[in-house]
Amino acid sequence: MYEPIRTKSVVHRLGTGHGDHPDYPHSSRGEALDIQLAGHLAALLAVTDELGLVESAERIAGQVARLRGEQPARLPHAPTGDAATLHQRAHDHAARALLVAASRADTTAAILAAERMDAHAAALDSVGMAGAH
């Protein structure tokens, strides 16, 4: 009733990815998590810079530099949104960084991300309370 498949699957044509193509860049799961963690921390850094939290930004930049092997590019930012929105974005980026750091078992980055989550949650509470008065 059905015609059989006559071509090989993509895996059979391209190989299994275990050294079959030395020109193709391969990364380990750990390397991929480091890249992902650095990305989340860099996003957190951008919002932290925008909020003007210099000391926190320096700590985050140190972790990004550790993961990437170089200092992150940074631009001075003037706040472009209201404080609540910026703190919520920072909290979300810190939460993503915490998940990846925990998966990677990167205690230093996990502690930093958890601290930033707590700080931004507290800031959101105070902004929310300030708006309620």
Side-chain angles (χ1 to χ4, degrees), residues 24-124:
Y24 185 77
H26 296 283
S27 62
S28 68
R29 182 176 186 276
E31 291 168 333
L33 288 173
D34 282 350
I35 292 166
Q36 191 175 24
L37 178 56
H40 291 310
L41 288 174
L44 175 59
L45 175 60
V47 178
T48 304
D49 277 340
E50 192 170 349
L51 284 164
L53 304 172
V54 177
E55 185 178 322
S56 297
E58 291 304 318
R59 290 182 60 211
I60 297 165
Q63 290 302 305
V64 174
R66 177 181 62 87
L67 292 163
R68 289 187 175 163
E70 62 186 18
Q71 288 296 319
R74 295 172 66 185
L75 296 173
H77 293 285
T80 58
D82 67 343
T85 301
L86 292 172
H87 283 293
Q88 184 62 57
R89 281 181 30 210
H91 184 275
D92 294 346
H93 289 307
R96 290 182 193 107
L98 177 59
L99 287 172
V100 178
S103 178
R104 182 69 177 115
D106 187 330
T107 307
T108 304
I111 290 170
L112 175 61
E115 289 172 356
R116 297 315 310 147
M117 284 181 66
D118 289 345
H120 293 295
L124 283 167

Side-chain angles (χ1 to χ4, degrees), residues 5-26:
I5 297 172
R6 294 185 182 164
T7 60
K8 292 186 177 189
S9 70
V10 172
V11 172
H12 287 103
R13 283 184 293 181
L14 296 179
T16 60
H18 299 289
D20 293 338
H21 299 283
D23 294 336
Y24 185 77
H26 296 283

